[in-house]
Amino acid sequence: MKIYNKKTFSVGIYFIVMAVGLVVLCFINEFKPNDLVLAGLYALIGVPFLLRSLSCEKSRKDKLEEREERNRFVALQSSSRSHQITQAGCFVIMVLFFAMSKVSGSAYFIGIGIGAAFCLTVSLFAEMFTKIYYEKRS
């Protein structure tokens, strides 16, 4: 048995491990039917990924589709937009928690706001450094 697409294989293994872990936790802790349903869903998602990574023909099709220029462009656009949405969300969360700390007088909200501000700062620096890197490369 040969693995033709390691990326797809790792995704399949991840979902299978999540399913097995959820079943084990279900038996160790309190039994909940919802957890077993979720574990079954994880297994149903993971098994096709595993089978697809072990098939030579399907792996070749996946790699060709991944390299297609339009798909790469869509991936870049969605990545860029999700990064912008994450930055906006961090900013909104930061402002909300600082306002909540001002209204309630609780220091706990300031800590959460500082955490969101830290995430926003890391995101902005990452964006700045990647722009500098790609400006020099092109």
Side-chain angles (χ1 to χ4, degrees):
M1 188 164 49
K2 184 175 178 183
I3 301 169
Y4 292 101
N5 192 342
K6 292 179 182 176
K7 189 175 171 182
T8 306
F9 184 77
S10 63
V11 170
I13 289 293
Y14 171 77
F15 278 109
I16 296 297
V17 167
M18 290 290 289
V20 170
L22 200 54
V23 168
V24 169
L25 284 176
C26 186
F27 286 118
I28 291 174
N29 293 336
E30 182 181 338
F31 178 78
K32 294 179 185 174
N34 292 342
D35 291 340
L36 286 179
V37 171
L38 187 59
L41 182 64
Y42 282 158
L44 285 175
I45 291 172
V47 169
F49 278 107
L50 281 176
L51 295 176
R52 196 160 185 85
S53 70
L54 298 174
S55 168
C56 181
E57 182 180 319
K58 290 179 182 179
S59 294
R60 186 177 296 133
K61 285 181 183 179
D62 288 344
K63 287 181 181 179
L64 284 174
E65 189 174 313
E66 184 179 312
R67 291 181 188 148
E68 190 176 296
E69 187 174 337
R70 183 184 177 283
N71 292 339
R72 295 180 84 183
F73 178 69
V74 169
L76 284 173
Q77 278 187 323
S78 67
S79 175
S80 174
R81 178 60 66 190
S82 66
H83 184 70
Q84 291 170 350
I85 291 169
T86 302
Q87 285 180 341
C90 283
F91 181 76
V92 168
I93 289 170
M94 177 188 70
V95 169
L96 283 174
F97 277 104
F98 285 154
M100 287 171 62
S101 72
K102 184 71 173 175
V103 170
S104 71
S106 176
Y108 295 114
F109 293 130
I110 292 175
I112 297 171
I114 289 173
F118 179 74
C119 291
L120 178 63
T121 305
V122 168
S123 176
L124 291 172
F125 276 122
E127 182 179 5
M128 180 179 67
F129 290 136
T130 54
K131 280 185 181 179
I132 290 170
Y133 175 80
Y134 285 112
E135 291 274 331
K136 286 184 179 181
R137 294 286 179 175
S138 59

